[in-house]
């Protein structure tokens, strides 16, 4: 700019000399221009700008040269004043006067403004067009510096180096140029060349806090670790409080790591990492220093941070994390780490070792989702020549069984190319366990098919005796008793069976199989064998066997022996004693010892008033008194039955018997009243029809036919003969269609019958039942429900219990749980039949559970749990539902008692869910340690119900999120994602959690 200003000054003097005599009006623009230049030279840029703008306002349009100069000065003043429009003015000048002699100066100003605004790419583009000779020395130096810095800022270090070098040795820029030249060389990996630059200024006051740190890094890059240590210790001694000393500690830590001074390395890394984020390579060395110093728990943190990135360093970190967790006796975490390392192929040797360790960890600990088979198979496929190959092959057979994923195990065996004796034996065992799984699911034919395949293997490595036992059980459940007998006999013939836990049970089972085939001699033999072994005398199964022995004697007409065994059960005062009392009374009746029979039955109704035999006992007491011609006592017994069991199965018969007893006791009027009660209370029943016939006989004997006919007319029975004939014919037609399995045609005929003859018809009750059942067979459940409801409200009809059962079942299936609950409760109140009673209890339990009726749920569960005839599955369900009910009423201790009992057997659905519920409760109450322990125990023990195991993995991930350990939470989720393949909600829940973790980590990165 210096040359430009001199030239302008000469031009100004020439202009003044030539036009000194011109008029004021003519010279005014020139005066403004001249003043503007003078003010500009005096650096009064704002005033100069005003003069140049005044000149432009008044100047002649033909004066292009001076106008161009004025525009330039305005832009130059704006640059000097750093006015907001400076860049626009300069850019306009560049575009308008591209051939101007000031163009280089304009590019300089544009470059400097972009540099100051940190628009480094634009700055380099402008400054590249500047000719240094057009600038004065200070501008030249600033131009070099801005150019170098801008290139450096956009990582063009070679260009930056070229720009900085002219500044070396300059008074103003020497130190900073030296620093940036060193930095550019460093950035270009020219460490030896960079070193002298930093050494030159390491004592310079401005750079003493920076340059030494590059010097030590360069020594580290050049692997001159002795100088790293000496120079680093010098920095720490001379600048002990420099905030950059963490970098010195880091480099010293790396030196000590390489020299295997792990204790010193740890100390240095701990100082370096205190509040600072270290490079991953340093974190890796830090983690290994801990590991190699047997500080395994400390190794986890740095190695976990390195493992978060998928590369060779991350793969190695996962491997060492796995080793650390194994030393810490945390095999599940070790498994996750080895699994992650085995999925990376950056380092094949590490991958091989990681996959081997992964397989061995699963093999020796837990394989919750059956992944061991897959891993063993993958290992042999990927590393066929591995030194671990023989170990893997040897352990594969055991792993196949240990996985507990028997379908996957069978598939894996079928894919294997080798068929060693160990694998063949494993296959046989797997087929056996597949059979057991199907048996537990009540799929008996598939279970038999698997047992058949297992037996056909003929390796005799599996428990052959048990296969026969369970195949016998499967046949028995299908009521194929002869096949069951053959299998249990084969089981008992096996040498293994004598010491097997199921041996005594096989005698019990054989007893029942023969019993069902009416082979009472053989049945008795096996029940005697069962009873002859050691038993708890109050055991329900033992007493049941005694009853069956007695029953066999009874069927064989050995009444004396039968009584002996019934008496054994009676003396124990157990629930089964009621049946035994009833049977001994029945024997007394057969022997016509009616008084003794009555005494026995009275004991039954007194001692076991809620027994399913109580109603029948009252009925038999009445019959016995009839046999003794003691009609009044018979009537009393029947009336007691009607009072206690008004809707019972025998109520109709008892009511009819009362009428007959009055008649036999020559109390005709009382007989008439009793018969009319039967007709009124049980319309359409067989007993009502018989009562009508008996009434006719009584009225005839009393010579009072008119009263009988009047009574019939009151019932709507006018044209008796023609009505009854039509009624019978129409019903029989419909009944034949129903019995022959034509529900649609039967329904049509039954509707016609009901419309035409009822309620007066003789078969209305039966027709209504047939119609309801026909609708059920046609899956017209709403129509079926209407007719079942009619039957359910008619007390004493023979189909009332079945109707209530169907009403409950239909409404339950339609998810009308409140209605279902009412029907189940009605059935429970009505029935004395043990089968109906258990079904009703279970229905009450389920319906109340689903309607969150906690009081009823708890009561129903308690009844089931106290019922000796309830199956283990029923009791498990009752306990589970009760636990949920206790939670609703805020009684967690009671819930826990039930959950803990259920969780003792994780091979049941309720046990698995209960185990999860325990862990979830601890989590929700913020007892994370207990929650984690429950989950780890669950994983270690395993379960066939993997949905709840998967839910537990999700919960474990949530625990680690709550602790802030997002790395470990992520690992659990990734492992679950890769190993759980069921088509349910789990994968969606995994993805939601993974996304939440990712968003958290992104947020953390943004904050840093």
């Amino acid at each position: 700019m210096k040359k430009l200003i001199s030239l302008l000054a000469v031009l100004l003097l020439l202009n003044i000399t030539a036009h000194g005599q011109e008029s004021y009006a003519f010279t005014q623009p020139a005066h403004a221009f001249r003043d503007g230049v003078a003010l500009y030279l005096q650096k009064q840029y704002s005033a100069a700008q005003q003069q140049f703008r005044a000149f432009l306002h008044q100047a002649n349009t033909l004066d292009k040269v001076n106008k161009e100069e004025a525009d330039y000065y305005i832009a130059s003043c704006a640059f000097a004043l750093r006015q907001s429009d400076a860049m626009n003015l300069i850019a306009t000048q560049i575009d308008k006067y591209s051939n101007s002699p000031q163009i280089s100066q304009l590019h300089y100003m544009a470059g400097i403004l972009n540099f100051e605004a940190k628009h480094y790419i634009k700055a380099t583009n402008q400054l590249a067009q500047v000719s240094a000779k057009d600038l004065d020395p200070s501008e030249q130096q600033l131009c070099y510096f801005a150019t170098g810095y801008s290139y450096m800022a956009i990582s063009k270090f070679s260009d930056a180096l070229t720009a900085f070098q002219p500044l070396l040795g300059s008074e103003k820029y020497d130190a900073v140029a030296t620093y940036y030249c060193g930095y550019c060389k460093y950035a270009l990996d020219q460490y030896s060349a960079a070193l002298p630059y930093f050494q030159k200024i390491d004592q310079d006051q401005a750079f003493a806090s920076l340059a030494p740190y590059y010097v030590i890094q360069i020594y580290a890059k050049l692997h001159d670790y002795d100088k790293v240590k000496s120079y680093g210790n010098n920095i720490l001694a001379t600048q002990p409080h420099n905030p950059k000393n963490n970098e010195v500690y880091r480099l010293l830590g790396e030196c000590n790591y390489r020299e295997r001074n792990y204790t010193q390395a740890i100390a240095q890394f701990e100082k370096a990492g205190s509040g600072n984020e270290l490079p991953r390579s340093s974190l890796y060395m830090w983690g290994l220093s801990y590991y190699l110093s047997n500080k395994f728990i400390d190794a986890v943190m740095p190695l976990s941070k390195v493992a978060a990135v998928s590369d060779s360093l991350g793969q190695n970190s996962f491997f060492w994390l796995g080793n650390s967790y194994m030393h810490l006796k945390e095999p599940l975490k070790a498994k996750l780490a080895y699994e992650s390392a085995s999925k990376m192929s950056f380092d094949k040797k590490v991958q091989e070792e990681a996959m081997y360790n992964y397989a061995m960890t699963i093999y020796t600990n837990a394989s919750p989702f059956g992944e061991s088979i897959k891993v063993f198979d993958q290992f042999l496929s990927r590393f066929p020549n591995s030194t671990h190959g023989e170990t893997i092959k040897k352990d594969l057979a055991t792993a196949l069984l240990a996985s507990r994923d028997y379908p996957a195990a069978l598939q894996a065996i079928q894919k294997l190319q080798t068929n060693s004796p160990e694998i063949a034996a494993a296959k046989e065992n797997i087929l056996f366990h597949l059979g057991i799984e199907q048996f537990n699911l009540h799929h008996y034919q598939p279970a038999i098919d698997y047992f058949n395949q297992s037996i056909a293997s003929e390796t005799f490595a599996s428990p052959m005796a048990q296969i026969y036992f369970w195949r016998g059980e499967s046949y028995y459940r299908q009521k194929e008793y002869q096949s069951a007998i053959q299998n249990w006999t084969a089981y008992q013939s096996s040498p293994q069976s004598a010491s097997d836990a199921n041996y005594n049970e096989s005698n019990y089972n054989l007893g029942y199989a023969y019993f069902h085939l009416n082979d009472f001699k053989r049945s008795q033999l096996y029940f005697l064998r069962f009873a002859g072994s050691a038993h708890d005398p109050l055991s329900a199964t033992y007493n049941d066997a005694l009853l069956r022995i007695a029953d066999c004697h009874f069927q064989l007409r050995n009444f004396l022996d039968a009584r002996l065994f019934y008496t054994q059960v009676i003396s124990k005062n157990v629930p089964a004693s009621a049946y035994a009392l009833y049977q001994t009374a029945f024997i007394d009746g057969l022997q016509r010892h009616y008084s003794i029979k009555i005494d026995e039955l009275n004991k039954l109704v007194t001692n076991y008033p809620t027994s399913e035999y109580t109603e029948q006992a009252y009925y038999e007491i009445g019959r016995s008194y009839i046999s003794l011609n003691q009609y009044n006592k018979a009537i009393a017994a029947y009336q007691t039955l009607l009072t206690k069991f008004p809707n019972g199965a025998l109520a109709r018969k008892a009511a009819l018997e009362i009428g007959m007893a009055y008649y036999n006791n020559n109390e005709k009027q009382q007989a008439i009243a009793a018969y009319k009660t039967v007709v009124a209370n049980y319309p359409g029943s067989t007993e009502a029809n018989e009562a009508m016939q008996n009434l006719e006989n009584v009225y005839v004997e009393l010579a009072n036919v008119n009263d009988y006919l009047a009574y019939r007319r009151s019932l709507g029975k006018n044209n008796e003969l023609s009505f009854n004939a039509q009624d019978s014919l129409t019903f029989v037609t419909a009944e034949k269609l129903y019995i022959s399995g034509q529900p649609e045609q039967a329904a049509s005929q039954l509707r016609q019958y009901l419309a035409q003859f009822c309620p007066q018809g003789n078969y209305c009750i039966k027709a209504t039942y047939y119609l309801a059942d026909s609708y059920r067979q046609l899956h017209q459940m709403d129509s079926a429900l209407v007719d079942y409801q009619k039957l359910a409200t008619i007390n004493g009809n023979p189909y009332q219990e079945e109707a209530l059962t169907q009403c409950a079942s239909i409404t339950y299936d339609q998810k009308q749980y409140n209605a279902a609950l009412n029907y189940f409760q009605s059935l429970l109140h009505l029935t004395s039949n043990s089968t109906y009673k258990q079904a009703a209890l279970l229905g009450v339990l389920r319906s109340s559970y689903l309607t969150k009726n906690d009081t009823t749920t708890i009561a129903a569960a308690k009844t089931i749990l106290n019922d000796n005839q309830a199956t283990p599955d029923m009791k498990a369900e009752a306990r589970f539902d009760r636990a949920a009910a206790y939670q609703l009423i805020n009684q967690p201790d009671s819930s826990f008692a039930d959950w803990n009992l259920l969780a003792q057997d994780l091979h049941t659905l309720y046990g698995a869910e209960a185990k999860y519920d325990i862990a979830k409760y601890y989590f929700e109450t913020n007892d994370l340690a207990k929650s984690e322990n429950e989950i780890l125990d669950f994983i270690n023990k395993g379960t066939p119900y993997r949905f709840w195991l998967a839910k537990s993995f999700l919960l474990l991930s949530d625990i680690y999120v709550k602790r802030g350990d997002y790395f470990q939470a992520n690992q659990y989720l990734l492992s679950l994602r890769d190993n759980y393949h069921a088509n349910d909600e789990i994968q969606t829940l995994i993805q939601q959690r993974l996304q939440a973790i990712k968003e958290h980590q992104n947020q953390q990165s943004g904050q840093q």
Side-chain angles (χ1 to χ4, degrees):
M1 183 180 262
K2 182 177 181 182
K3 292 182 180 180
L4 180 60
I5 292 173
S6 299
L7 178 61
L8 290 172
V10 172
L11 290 172
L12 179 60
L13 290 172
L14 290 173
N15 188 49
I16 292 171
T17 303
H19 302 286
Q21 304 301 318
E22 293 184 5
S23 67
Y24 173 78
F26 181 78
T27 60
Q28 188 176 14
H31 181 72
F33 186 87
R34 182 196 62 197
D35 288 348
V37 173
L39 290 166
Y40 182 87
L41 294 173
Q42 295 171 17
K43 297 185 179 182
Q44 298 184 36
Y45 301 116
S46 181
Q49 217 176 30
Q50 292 177 13
Q51 291 299 321
F52 288 125
R53 285 188 173 129
F55 165 77
L56 290 174
H57 182 68
Q58 302 171 28
N60 190 319
T61 57
L62 298 177
D63 190 2
K64 294 182 178 180
V65 174
N66 285 333
K67 287 180 71 176
E68 178 182 340
E69 293 296 331
D71 281 336
Y72 167 76
Y73 273 116
I74 289 171
S76 183
C77 288
F79 169 76
L81 294 169
R82 295 301 191 268
Q83 292 175 339
S84 60
D85 63 343
M87 181 58 75
N88 289 335
L89 292 171
I90 294 169
T92 300
Q93 282 288 94
I94 291 172
D95 292 340
K96 191 173 180 180
Y97 306 114
S98 58
N99 296 319
S100 168
Q102 295 98 342
I103 192 66
S104 182
Q105 187 69 28
L106 288 166
H107 282 303
Y108 164 77
M109 290 187 289
I112 295 301
L113 288 176
N114 277 305
F115 165 71
E116 292 174 353
K118 299 182 180 180
H119 300 155
Y120 297 118
I121 294 177
K122 291 180 179 180
T124 57
N125 290 338
Q126 293 293 339
L127 295 172
Q129 301 180 63
V130 175
S131 174
K133 65 182 181 179
D134 293 332
L135 306 177
D136 65 29
S138 63
E139 289 173 331
Q140 285 179 2
Q141 290 182 350
L142 179 58
C143 181
Y144 286 134
F145 179 79
T147 300
Y149 194 95
S150 297
Y151 276 128
M152 188 174 64
I154 60 175
S155 300
K156 291 189 175 183
F157 298 109
S158 294
D159 293 330
L161 193 61
T162 301
F164 283 129
Q165 282 177 336
L167 296 174
L168 295 172
S170 66
E171 182 178 350
K172 182 177 181 180
Y173 290 99
D174 179 58
V176 70
T178 300
Y179 175 78
Y180 284 128
C181 282
Y183 181 83
C184 290
K185 292 284 188 182
Y186 182 90
L188 292 167
D189 297 335
Q190 299 175 16
Y191 304 119
S192 296
L195 184 59
Y197 289 103
F198 290 120
Q199 288 175 324
K200 179 181 175 182
I201 57 172
D202 67 353
Q203 299 301 317
D204 186 286
Q205 184 175 0
F207 295 99
S209 63
L210 292 173
Y213 297 92
Y214 282 101
V215 172
I216 192 172
Q217 287 190 56
I218 290 170
Y219 284 142
K221 297 286 187 184
L222 296 174
H223 307 297
D224 193 342
Y225 299 119
D226 288 337
K227 287 186 178 179
V228 169
K229 292 173 71 174
S230 61
Y231 196 82
N233 288 323
N234 182 62
I235 292 173
L236 295 175
T238 56
Q239 301 187 51
H241 303 298
N242 193 309
K244 295 186 179 297
N245 281 348
N246 66 293
E247 182 64 11
V248 178
Y249 286 123
R250 181 184 74 82
L251 293 171
L252 289 174
E254 290 189 2
C255 286
N256 283 306
Y257 168 80
R258 290 186 175 91
E259 294 175 354
R260 301 185 181 182
N261 296 324
Y262 301 121
T263 301
Q264 294 180 39
I266 290 169
Q268 302 292 357
F269 281 129
E270 286 177 346
K271 291 178 182 178
S274 178
N276 300 286
E277 191 62 39
L278 299 183
R280 291 176 65 242
S281 58
S282 299
L283 285 168
Y284 180 75
M285 295 180 195
W286 188 9
L288 275 188
S289 296
Y290 278 131
Y291 180 86
L292 295 168
S293 300
N294 295 329
K295 296 183 176 182
F296 306 113
I297 195 166
D298 296 314
V300 170
M301 181 276 291
L303 290 174
S304 296
K305 289 185 176 182
V306 182
V309 178
S310 180
D311 58 11
S312 179
L313 203 57
Q315 183 185 19
N316 276 273
S317 294
F318 270 125
F319 178 78
W320 290 108
L321 264 176
N323 289 347
S324 298
Y325 283 129
M326 288 303 292
H327 283 293
L328 293 170
K329 302 188 185 311
E330 296 189 61
L332 180 57
K333 290 180 180 178
K335 179 187 82 75
L336 297 178
Y338 289 138
E339 180 183 10
S340 295
S342 71
K343 290 176 181 176
M344 300 180 191
S345 56
F346 301 104
D347 187 322
K348 291 292 185 183
K349 186 61 181 174
V350 171
Q351 184 183 31
E352 178 184 340
E353 291 301 312
M355 187 172 285
Y356 173 73
N357 287 350
Y358 177 32
M360 290 296 101
T361 304
I362 297 172
Y363 171 69
T364 56
N365 292 280
S367 175
F369 302 107
E371 58 266 48
S372 63
I373 302 166
K374 179 179 71 175
V375 175
F376 273 69
D377 196 31
Q378 286 178 347
F379 185 90
L380 293 173
S381 175
R382 291 183 186 176
F383 306 105
N385 300 317
S386 172
T387 56
H388 301 302
E390 289 304 314
T391 303
I392 291 289
K393 290 176 183 177
K394 175 182 157 187
D395 293 333
L396 177 56
T398 307
L400 287 165
L401 289 170
S403 72
R404 290 177 287 212
D405 185 350
Y406 302 117
L410 185 60
Q411 289 181 5
I413 285 178
Q414 290 167 344
K415 290 179 183 178
L416 291 174
Q417 296 180 355
T418 59
N419 190 25
S420 66
E422 292 82 6
I423 296 297
K427 180 179 180 181
E428 183 181 314
N429 261 299
I430 288 164
L431 288 166
F432 167 68
H433 285 289
L434 283 167
I436 294 295
E437 282 188 350
Q438 292 300 309
F439 179 88
N440 289 334
L441 293 170
H442 311 298
H443 301 160
Y444 301 118
Q445 189 55 52
I448 291 169
D449 293 340
Y450 279 122
F451 292 140
N452 290 342
Q453 292 179 59
S454 182
I455 291 171
S457 299
E458 293 186 348
T459 64
F460 306 109
S462 61
M464 295 299 292
Q466 288 192 35
I467 299 176
Y468 285 117
F469 177 84
W470 290 106
R471 189 167 69 170
E473 283 281 349
S474 302
Y475 278 124
Y476 183 85
R477 303 299 173 91
Q478 295 192 143
K479 298 183 179 181
E480 298 180 48
Y481 302 120
Q482 198 61 56
S483 295
I485 289 169
Q486 291 172 1
N487 277 271
W488 283 326
T489 302
Y491 163 79
Q492 292 194 343
S493 299
S494 169
Q496 299 171 336
S497 66
S499 58
D500 188 67
N502 294 317
Y503 187 83
N504 283 335
E505 187 176 348
S506 70
N507 283 319
Y508 182 79
N509 294 346
L510 279 163
Y512 260 111
Y514 280 117
F515 192 88
H516 286 299
L517 293 174
N518 296 326
D519 189 341
F520 300 113
K521 286 186 177 181
R522 285 194 176 91
S523 175
Q524 183 188 87
L525 172 66
Y526 284 104
F527 279 125
L528 282 167
R529 288 179 180 177
F530 173 79
S533 59
H535 291 288
D536 176 359
L538 298 180
S539 160
T541 307
Y542 172 63
N543 284 291
D544 182 70
L546 293 177
L547 289 177
R548 297 296 81 79
I549 294 168
D551 287 344
C552 289
H553 282 301
F554 179 88
Q555 293 294 336
L556 295 169
R557 316 295 286 179
N558 299 326
F559 296 136
L560 181 60
D561 291 331
R563 186 186 295 275
L564 288 173
F565 281 96
Y566 286 136
T567 303
Q568 287 187 53
V569 179
I570 293 169
S571 65
K572 296 176 183 178
N573 196 26
V574 293
S577 300
Y579 172 76
L581 273 168
Y582 182 82
Q583 287 297 102
T584 55
F586 201 84
I587 291 172
D588 290 326
L590 289 174
Q591 295 175 335
R592 300 186 180 184
H593 300 155
Y594 299 120
S595 296
I596 300 174
K597 175 182 178 181
I598 292 168
D599 291 341
E600 297 286 357
L601 292 173
N602 278 324
K603 289 179 184 177
L604 192 160
V605 299
T606 301
N607 296 335
Y608 308 100
T610 60
S611 163
E612 63 179 298
Y613 301 101
T614 303
E615 180 186 2
Q616 196 162 352
Y618 279 117
Y619 183 75
E620 288 295 328
I621 289 171
R623 289 187 63 193
S624 297
Y625 279 125
I626 293 291
S627 298
L628 293 171
N629 296 323
Q630 298 180 24
Y631 299 115
N632 290 330
K633 290 184 177 180
I635 290 168
Y638 291 137
Q639 286 176 335
T640 302
L641 186 154
L642 289 171
T643 300
K644 292 183 177 293
F645 303 97
N647 300 314
L650 295 173
R652 301 182 310 279
K653 289 185 177 182
L656 183 63
E657 291 280 357
I658 289 172
M660 296 171 66
Y662 277 127
Y663 176 80
N664 290 330
N665 206 32
N666 202 29
E667 297 179 68
K668 301 294 195 306
Q669 292 301 325
Q670 289 88 338
I672 289 172
Y675 287 140
K676 286 183 177 180
T677 300
V678 174
V679 173
N681 290 346
Y682 312 107
S685 67
T686 302
E687 289 77 11
N689 291 334
E690 188 173 347
M692 286 297 297
Q693 293 174 2
N694 291 347
L695 273 169
E696 180 180 351
N697 295 332
V698 175
Y699 275 116
V700 168
E701 286 185 22
L702 293 173
N704 196 358
V705 176
N706 288 333
D707 284 354
Y708 172 68
L709 293 175
Y711 175 67
R712 285 187 66 88
R713 283 193 296 273
S714 71
L715 298 175
K717 298 178 180 289
N718 294 321
N719 295 319
E720 310 77 61
L721 297 178
S722 60
F723 178 86
N724 286 340
Q726 291 179 44
D727 175 63
S728 177
L729 182 62
T730 305
F731 175 74
V732 168
T733 302
E735 185 178 43
K736 286 182 177 179
L737 290 169
Y738 171 78
I739 293 172
S740 64
Q742 301 179 62
E744 189 170 359
Q745 294 86 339
S748 176
Q749 290 293 321
L750 289 163
R751 284 194 299 269
Q752 180 181 332
Y753 170 80
L754 290 166
Q756 185 175 353
F757 295 99
C758 293
Q760 293 82 13
N762 295 315
Y763 308 100
C764 296
I765 297 294
K766 186 178 286 189
T768 303
Y769 174 75
Y770 285 170
L771 180 58
D773 195 53
S774 296
Y775 283 137
R776 183 189 61 79
Q777 293 179 47
L778 293 168
H779 304 290
Q780 297 176 18
M781 295 306 182
D782 290 337
S783 298
L785 182 60
V786 170
D787 287 307
Y788 281 129
Q789 286 170 332
K790 292 176 183 177
L791 294 168
T793 58
I794 301 174
N795 292 331
N797 81 81
Y799 305 105
Q800 190 174 14
E801 291 182 352
E802 176 66 15
L804 283 169
T805 302
Q806 292 295 343
C807 286
S809 178
I810 292 170
T811 51
Y812 185 90
D813 290 342
Q814 292 176 342
K815 299 184 179 181
Q816 300 178 41
Y817 299 122
N818 283 314
L821 177 59
N822 290 332
Y823 285 122
F824 281 125
Q825 286 176 323
S826 297
L827 177 61
L828 186 61
H829 176 72
L830 171 70
T831 188
S832 58
N833 180 283
S834 60
T835 302
Y836 278 130
K837 191 178 288 291
Q838 283 199 346
L841 265 174
L842 196 57
V844 169
L845 175 75
R846 290 174 176 173
S847 301
S848 59
Y849 170 75
L850 291 167
T851 55
K852 299 189 185 306
N853 187 334
D854 49 85
T855 303
T856 306
T857 302
I858 292 168
K862 184 178 180 180
T863 303
I864 291 172
L865 291 169
N866 291 331
D867 183 0
N868 291 325
Q869 294 183 342
T871 65
D873 286 347
M874 282 182 64
K875 290 189 175 185
E877 184 174 353
R879 201 174 293 283
F880 181 85
D881 291 353
R882 186 172 70 172
Y886 280 135
Q887 283 292 99
L888 289 176
I889 59 176
N890 196 29
Q891 292 186 18
D893 291 343
S894 298
S895 293
F896 260 76
D898 282 330
W899 280 338
N900 282 322
L901 284 171
L902 288 168
Q904 289 176 9
D905 186 0
L906 298 178
H907 286 80
T908 67
L909 173 61
Y910 297 113
E913 188 171 353
K915 190 71 168 176
Y916 169 78
D917 285 336
I918 292 170
K920 185 181 178 185
Y921 175 81
Y922 282 134
F923 176 81
E924 290 174 345
T925 54
N926 212 34
D927 195 337
L928 303 185
K930 285 186 178 178
S931 182
E932 182 180 16
N933 288 337
E934 288 293 335
I935 296 170
L936 294 177
D937 183 58
F938 192 11
I939 293 169
N940 185 54
K941 291 177 178 175
T943 178
Y945 299 96
R946 288 178 176 164
F947 174 81
W948 294 109
L949 201 56
K951 290 275 284 185
S952 297
F953 261 78
L954 292 173
L955 187 58
L956 194 55
S957 170
D958 294 341
I959 289 170
Y960 279 97
V961 166
K962 216 166 187 179
R963 289 171 173 167
D965 190 346
Y966 292 91
F967 171 79
Q968 199 63 49
N970 200 65
Q971 290 306 111
Y972 280 114
L973 292 171
L974 291 175
S975 179
L976 181 61
R977 182 192 66 187
D978 293 342
N979 293 302
Y980 184 80
H981 305 295
N983 185 21
D984 52 36
E985 66 188 55
I986 296 298
Q987 290 296 337
T988 300
L989 295 174
I990 292 170
Q991 291 306 316
Q992 290 172 353
R993 283 166 169 77
L994 286 172
Q995 183 62 32
I997 290 173
K998 183 178 180 181
E999 290 172 1
H1000 172 82
Q1001 291 174 333
N1002 290 341
Q1003 184 180 5
Q1004 292 293 104
S1005 298
Q1007 291 175 354
Q1008 292 174 358

